[in-house]
Amino acid sequence: PAPTPCRHRPVAVYGEENLGRLPLVNAPLRSDATPRLEDFPYRLSDNVRFADLDPNQHVNNASYATYFETGRVTLMKDRSYGLVPEGLAWVMVRLDMHFRAELHWPGTIELGLGVVKFGRTSVSFEQVVFSDGKCVASALATTVLIDEATRKPAPITPELKATFQPWLKRGYDGQ
């Protein structure tokens, strides 16, 4: 079957010299634009923990997933925003991270989050981690709304979509 079109460019596996002999795989396109914290409407601060470090004395890549989770969960679980309707829940289905610079302990970080896409049952967020005014990591996270009883995807209603409007990333119109 023919591959489905996507925003990816084919790249060779194991180097250009094998381009004719090995199958091509899809690799995400990277934006060269450095994210700006002010483009993300939901922001909070966190601490870099000593436990986040790896043997190289910088923050381990797995710790960034926790930073991104902190941003999403802090927003989504705050009942005052109305982002989790009764009987429904959000589950993570994809997290694509881009490591941009080293991060060290001790320190504080600024987390930013903004909605960049609505699907029929999903919401995608662009997220960032800043340290000392510099973006050290960014991610695209996709969550799916599910029915808690059936565990099946549930459609996002126009009313629920409206509750996300304050959290749209600058430049995204919500369509």
Side-chain angles (χ1 to χ4, degrees), residues 56-78:
N56 295 317
Q57 298 303 304
H58 62 233
V59 172
N60 184 280
N61 60 351
S63 296
Y64 288 92
T66 302
Y67 298 155
F68 293 128
E69 177 185 58
T70 297
R72 284 188 316 277
V73 170
T74 304
L75 172 67
M76 301 295 274
K77 295 289 186 181
D78 186 329

Side-chain angles (χ1 to χ4, degrees), residues 14-27:
Y14 305 113
E16 294 296 323
E17 66 276 5
N18 293 313
L19 194 57
R21 291 177 287 203
L22 294 172
L24 297 177
V25 296
N26 285 333

